[in-house]
Amino acid sequence: MQDEYGPQSGSGLSGWARNLSSRECSVIRLVAVGLTNRQIARYLGISEKTVKNHLSAIFRKIGVASRTQAAVYTVLTASFNQNELVGSES
């Protein structure tokens, strides 16, 4: 499965996102569009525990304490628009 939620060249990710791994960027984008840990795990082909581990690392790297804060932070600080956040349909 191609990961349309991962970082793309020229995607305009802000400085904080550059500190995240490719997989962490995929996870946080999926969180920001409202997917659950189970849905993220299924989409990415990883375990829910791995999703939780990625989220813990993301929280630490961007300085937030919750999933909601991470999602809001992602949407507010990302320089990509909503279509880029959820993946282009074209």
Side-chain angles (χ1 to χ4, degrees):
M1 175 180 296
Q2 183 176 1
D3 187 1
E4 66 192 42
Y5 293 97
Q8 302 161 1
S9 63
S11 64
L13 295 176
S14 58
W16 64 268
R18 290 189 192 106
N19 295 328
L20 301 180
S21 71
S22 176
R23 182 62 87 188
E24 289 168 345
C25 285
S26 297
V27 169
I28 196 60
R29 284 179 172 196
L30 293 168
V31 166
V33 296
L35 273 63
T36 66
N37 287 355
R38 177 172 288 173
Q39 291 169 323
I40 293 168
R42 287 182 182 160
Y43 183 84
L44 297 177
I46 58 179
S47 72
E48 284 186 69
K49 175 66 175 153
T50 301
V51 172
K52 290 177 185 178
N53 289 340
H54 284 309
L55 287 172
S56 293
I58 292 165
F59 295 172
R60 186 176 58 257
K61 289 178 180 181
I62 66 173
V64 299
S66 74
R67 174 188 200 89
T68 302
Q69 289 175 337
V72 169
Y73 188 85
T74 299
V75 171
L76 292 178
T77 62
S79 60
F80 40 71
N81 66 34
Q82 185 67 18
N83 288 335
E84 290 169 325
L85 184 64
V86 298
S88 171
E89 294 296 321
S90 52

